[in-house]
Amino acid sequence: MGKLQSKINCSTSKYRPDDYVEEDSPAQAVQQYSPAHTGAVTSVAALTSDLCVSGGKDKASDRQLVKIKMQRLSVLQATDCPPVGLGKECPSHFQTVVVYNWRSGAVLKRFVGHQREVTKVACVFESNSFFSASRDKTVMMWELHRNSGPSQHFPGHDLVVTGLAVSPDSLQLCTGSRDNTMCKWDIETGECLRRAAISRNLVTHLCWVPAEPYVIQTSEDKTIRIWDSRELQVAHRFPVKQYIQTYCDVSQDGRYCISSSNGFGGEGCEATLWDLRQTRSRVREYKGHFQTTASCVFLPNGVGLTPVVATSSHDCMVKVWNQDSGACLVTLCLDGSGPLASLAVCDSSTLLCASFNSGIHLLRINSVKGLELQEVATF
């Protein structure tokens, strides 16, 4: 297996061709909203048409810690046992999951509970609940209008949880981990319904196929798998790629899947389009990033005349591609952002991009005069 990148150079100039000339363009004012996090943002997802949920590496404030300790103490006194997965001793800090109104530029709520970095967040669009996975080996469920901590815990993995997918009916949850296992959970009860282990299957991401009982999974063993969630069995394996597969997404019509690869210096670093309905083979590749492509998403049909996909990379660039031809339509460089870890589609003109160094970037897609991608705000 290949190795995950551990040291990232945030400057993009060293990866540009010698004859590269940056086009002159009018300076666009980028608004600085109230920050969502104090550290690196590892994952972002659209919760409603106005709200997003995100997680990362930052710590809770002293005031939040006091509140958490009081909550834990009251639980201990009432039950004489620790909350699941938290232990009787309150750790020195907790990680935060943030719900943010990206239209107004304000934090709506902060949810505190994980003891280590939040690796993934996931939700069903326009729902009241959302989920977070963490390096503390647990998954938590949160309610938008609940203030007393997580409404459900899902402990059971032996290592960091790196994959998270919610069924379209919001009744079941699938999780994946670096412990080589996949788990299916009953969301209401928190019960683990199925558990499957595959040697060397270090899960990197999960996504649910719309209107189907299937879950797509990427892995450090360079394989993309389709799982039948009913019995949690592998229904199909795509041909093994040359590099670690970091992320996956499924088109709204359920016909295609896109996955992204790690890499360095332009080797690897591509996104790959796969056919889910007919031949289940590779359709095309999107090549142009110079470091690991960490995220890839299908954009709504309202963007331009042809289907398009977007990718973000550790090279600080976001690219939009013609899905059918594989041509790169536009590139936006977010210099100084550090690795771009996650993308989330809010609507037909808005894209969110989570970064290690500069929070979450609000990007605007304009197709009136040819396809344009602009940074509007950061938070």
Side-chain angles (χ1 to χ4, degrees):
M1 295 189 299
K3 295 182 180 179
L4 283 176
Q5 301 294 327
S6 58
K7 295 182 179 179
I8 306 300
N9 189 318
C10 298
S11 173
T12 60
S13 59
K14 65 179 289 188
Y15 304 109
R16 294 169 182 164
D18 294 336
D19 59 351
Y20 176 86
V21 177
E22 188 167 357
E23 295 181 7
D24 293 330
S25 57
Q28 300 292 328
V30 178
Q31 291 184 279
Q32 180 61 62
Y33 292 156
S34 174
H37 296 272
T38 59
V41 185
T42 54
S43 185
V44 62
L47 182 61
T48 71
S49 58
D50 300 315
L51 305 177
C52 66
V53 57
S54 58
K57 297 181 181 180
D58 49 4
K59 301 178 181 180
S61 65
D62 291 341
R63 182 177 180 181
Q64 290 170 320
L65 288 178
V66 171
K67 183 178 180 181
I68 291 296
K69 289 179 181 180
M70 294 301 294
Q71 290 174 351
R72 300 301 182 266
L73 181 61
S74 65
V75 171
L76 289 173
Q77 291 173 340
T79 64
D80 195 32
C81 64
V84 178
L86 292 177
K88 290 189 177 182
E89 295 298 326
C90 184
S92 59
H93 65 267
F94 288 82
Q95 303 295 320
T96 56
V97 177
V98 177
V99 175
Y100 199 98
N101 188 319
W102 58 267
R103 290 189 190 273
S104 65
V107 173
L108 182 65
K109 284 187 179 180
R110 295 186 186 274
F111 296 86
V112 186
H114 284 296
Q115 300 177 50
R116 298 189 64 189
E117 171 191 342
V118 175
T119 55
K120 293 288 169 66
V121 294
C123 59
V124 174
F125 190 68
E126 296 290 357
S127 65
N128 183 55
S129 59
F130 48 95
F131 302 81
S132 58
S134 171
R135 287 190 178 274
D136 65 12
K137 309 175 188 177
T138 70
V139 172
M140 294 185 182
M141 175 181 174
W142 311 87
E143 301 289 339
L144 184 59
H145 303 297
R146 179 186 173 105
N147 295 317
S148 57
S151 57
Q152 192 61 268
H153 291 81
F154 305 90
H157 284 291
D158 297 324
L159 292 173
V160 51
V161 184
T162 45
L164 202 56
V166 192
S167 62
D169 59 9
S170 297
L171 296 178
Q172 294 180 348
L173 177 74
C174 276
T175 61
S177 167
R178 290 182 63 85
D179 64 9
N180 302 321
T181 66
M182 290 273 292
C183 292
K184 183 177 80 167
W185 309 81
D186 183 296
I187 287 179
E188 184 176 353
T189 66
E191 178 187 1
C192 183
L193 303 175
R194 295 280 191 278
R195 184 182 180 94
I198 297 178
S199 177
R200 297 168 63 87
N201 182 31
L202 283 73
V203 176
T204 56
H205 195 71
L206 301 176
C207 60
W208 211 292
V209 179
E212 299 284 355
Y214 298 108
V215 177
I216 311 294
Q217 178 238 316
T218 52
S219 171
E220 283 194 29
D221 68 2
K222 310 171 188 175
T223 302
I224 302 102
R225 295 175 174 87
I226 301 177
W227 291 80
D228 187 328
S229 67
R230 290 166 291 194
E231 298 297 327
L232 203 61
Q233 296 179 342
V234 177
H236 181 73
R237 291 178 179 86
F238 289 110
V240 177
K241 294 282 291 179
Q242 187 176 358
Y243 292 87
I244 289 171
Q245 297 300 285
T246 60
Y247 199 91
C248 56
D249 189 32
V250 178
S251 59
Q252 282 301 308
D253 59 13
R255 293 182 58 190
Y256 297 103
C257 168
I258 188 172
S259 68
S260 56
S261 295
N262 86 325
F264 186 79
E267 295 295 325
C269 314
E270 78 277 359
T272 306
L273 186 69
W274 305 90
D275 191 326
L276 292 180
R277 294 297 180 91
Q278 297 179 7
T279 62
R280 287 192 171 178
S281 60
R282 186 180 74 183
V283 179
R284 65 186 46 84
E285 291 184 332
Y286 308 95
K287 295 186 176 183
H289 285 295
F290 297 99
Q291 290 196 58
T292 293
T293 299
S295 184
C296 50
V297 294
F298 289 90
L299 297 183
N301 292 332
V303 180
L305 300 177
T306 59
V308 290
V309 297
T311 56
S312 68
S313 169
H314 288 180
D315 64 12
C316 307
M317 296 186 187
V318 178
K319 290 179 178 288
V320 178
W321 312 79
N322 183 308
Q323 179 180 313
D324 296 333
S325 71
C328 181
L329 302 176
V330 63
T331 297
L332 177 64
C333 179
L334 301 173
D335 265 326
S337 65
L340 301 178
S342 177
L343 290 172
V345 178
C346 296
D347 54 36
S348 61
S349 62
T350 309
L351 190 64
L352 298 178
C353 182
S355 73
F356 276 27
N357 294 349
S358 52
I360 301 172
H361 299 258
L362 176 62
L363 310 180
R364 190 62 43 79
I365 305 168
N366 190 338
S367 57
V368 176
K369 298 180 180 179
L371 198 63
E372 295 179 340
L373 186 62
Q374 297 177 341
E375 182 182 12
V376 177
T378 59
F379 56 90

